[in-house]
Amino acid sequence: MNKKKTSLWERYLTKEIGIEFKACLYFFAILFIYCVYKLTQGSFTADILHMAEMILLCYIICYVQVYLLGNFDESESFGAKEAGGIFICTAVYTGFSLLFDWFERSVAWTAGFAAYIILVYICIFLIYKVKRRIDDKVLNEELEMFQSRPGKEEDTEAEP
Amino acid sequence: MKITIKQTDGAEAQVVVTYGELTPEVEKVIDFLKGHSTTLTGKCDDETVRFNARDILYIETVDDRTFAYTESKIIKLSHSLAALTELLDDISFIRCSKSMILNIDKIERLKSLPSNRIDATMKGGEHILISRTYASELRNRLKKGGVGRE
């Protein structure tokens, strides 16, 4: 058996990388709708300060998602807990979009942004679900190969 | 014991054990060739039982007591989990949590769970949760397909 244990630092780092990856995922989703908004307003420039606010907010919300909201976007099934998580996070993103003036307080765009965030959460939930389903298939194929390895007891023939 | 080693070009590697009487020495050789035939002794219903490690589904420590679970029995072992980890230093046994060792050959199905954890359905129908820390070791072991270990 492998005696190499994962250290506390390595475990923390694995979780931290996972959160940062998630934060980047949500940041790019928000950046996309922000860029679409800017383009519709006839602007080809994005505010660096807005982008900094977005990434920082995504990072904080992803921390909350993982440590306080049970990592709901990676859940096995969709229930009240997951719907609650999506509602809370969408409300926070929408609130901060108003506070930081990302969509110049446009009611229509802010409402659209909230709907878009809900859609992003549902898509990410489905993506993780599909990923796990593929992983299941790979794992069970490898398990089958492992169990039929040469030299296993079942390969031994005993003659009377 | 007479040992004959024969090399034939293109032949499939094969070991044939011929014996008149199954002596402990022959038994040991067969056990070695079979790969994982460590025999353990434990207590089941106040009776001392000897059983083969390959029959174990999993081993669990509960309140400093170690139990081996087979498809039909729960056997109390006198060994600690650390000692069993050494003893069952075998390709098909893997640590799946701080208090549990799992026999990969007795897994019926695996299910990938959120946060990189794995749910193993054993041949007896029980579900064992493999934590993220140990799941990566299981994945590595399966990837190698039982050929050698780190």
Side-chain angles (χ1 to χ4, degrees):
Chain A
M1 260 165 260
N2 197 347
K3 292 169 189 82
K4 281 185 278 178
K5 277 189 181 172
T6 321
S7 68
L8 194 68
W9 163 246
E10 283 170 322
R11 269 178 284 170
Y12 163 76
L13 204 63
T14 310
K15 206 149 198 174
E16 183 61 31
I17 291 166
I19 292 169
E20 277 168 27
F21 172 78
K22 209 188 270 278
C24 288
L25 202 68
Y26 287 105
F27 166 66
F28 280 113
I30 294 171
L31 187 64
F32 173 75
I33 191 83
Y34 175 74
C35 290
V36 170
Y37 168 73
K38 283 284 177 188
L39 285 171
T40 57
Q41 303 304 305
S43 167
F44 289 91
T45 53
D47 196 324
I48 290 177
L49 190 64
H50 281 169
M51 287 198 283
E53 288 159 359
M54 284 171 197
I55 188 76
L56 192 68
L57 184 64
C58 287
Y59 187 66
I60 293 165
I61 291 181
C62 286
Y63 246 92
V64 172
Q65 268 180 232
V66 171
Y67 288 105
L68 298 177
L69 298 174
N71 213 4
F72 64 85
D73 57 349
E74 289 186 45
S75 280
E76 191 58 19
S77 56
F78 195 88
K81 197 187 92 182
E82 289 69 30
I86 290 176
F87 176 77
I88 293 167
C89 294
T90 304
V92 174
Y93 276 122
T94 311
F96 275 94
S97 78
L98 282 170
L99 184 73
F100 293 140
D101 214 9
W102 293 345
F103 303 103
E104 288 157 309
R105 307 243 159 97
S106 154
V107 177
W109 271 95
T110 304
F113 175 67
Y116 173 76
I117 291 292
I118 291 171
L119 185 71
V120 167
Y121 271 117
I122 292 168
C123 286
I124 287 174
F125 173 82
L126 292 173
I127 287 166
Y128 276 120
K129 210 173 168 64
V130 170
K131 183 182 168 278
R132 278 197 304 275
R133 200 167 288 177
I134 295 166
D135 194 32
D136 278 356
K137 209 174 157 191
V138 173
L139 269 175
N140 285 297
E141 274 170 10
E142 285 174 352
L143 177 70
E144 210 173 294
M145 275 174 69
F146 181 94
Q147 290 177 339
S148 59
R149 68 191 179 276
K152 212 188 141 200
E153 180 99 7
E154 282 72 11
D155 291 338
T156 314
E157 286 173 23
E159 288 175 17
Chain B
M1 192 191 296
K2 190 183 164 193
I3 299 170
T4 309
I5 299 168
K6 194 176 160 189
Q7 195 265 322
T8 311
D9 288 335
E12 191 189 342
Q14 181 185 321
V15 179
V16 180
V17 181
T18 313
Y19 60 88
E21 197 185 329
L22 191 65
T23 61
E25 194 186 12
V26 175
E27 209 170 354
K28 213 171 168 183
V29 171
I30 295 169
D31 277 354
F32 174 75
L33 291 170
K34 281 179 178 175
H36 60 125
S37 291
T38 307
T39 306
L40 295 170
T41 308
K43 286 210 164 187
C44 178
D45 299 329
D46 291 329
E47 273 180 41
T48 303
V49 286
R50 266 169 70 80
F51 63 103
N52 204 305
R54 68 169 178 268
D55 296 329
I56 297 171
L57 294 173
Y58 61 93
I59 300 168
E60 189 180 24
T61 297
V62 183
D63 297 331
D64 288 331
R65 287 180 300 173
T66 312
F67 298 93
Y69 296 78
T70 67
E71 278 182 64
S72 57
K73 289 176 192 162
I74 299 171
I75 303 154
K76 186 173 178 276
L77 301 171
S78 53
H79 313 68
S80 67
L81 203 67
L84 284 164
T85 306
E86 291 290 319
L87 191 69
L88 300 172
D89 189 18
D90 183 279
I91 200 151
S92 67
F93 283 91
I94 191 164
R95 196 80 175 243
C96 64
S97 72
K98 277 181 184 172
S99 61
M100 208 180 258
I101 299 171
L102 191 73
N103 185 356
I104 305 174
D105 284 332
K106 295 285 181 184
I107 297 174
E108 183 82 50
R109 201 163 16 91
L110 290 169
K111 190 168 172 26
S112 179
L113 294 179
S115 305
N116 270 333
R117 292 166 305 145
I118 295 173
D119 172 69
T121 308
M122 304 308 290
K123 287 203 167 139
E126 280 182 77
H127 288 265
I128 309 275
L129 187 71
I130 304 166
S131 63
R132 181 217 292 257
T133 317
Y134 299 97
S136 60
E137 162 68 5
L138 175 66
R139 283 174 194 275
N140 286 340
R141 192 82 65 90
L142 294 179
K143 269 200 174 67
K144 287 178 186 169
V147 188
R149 284 179 308 145
E150 272 177 59

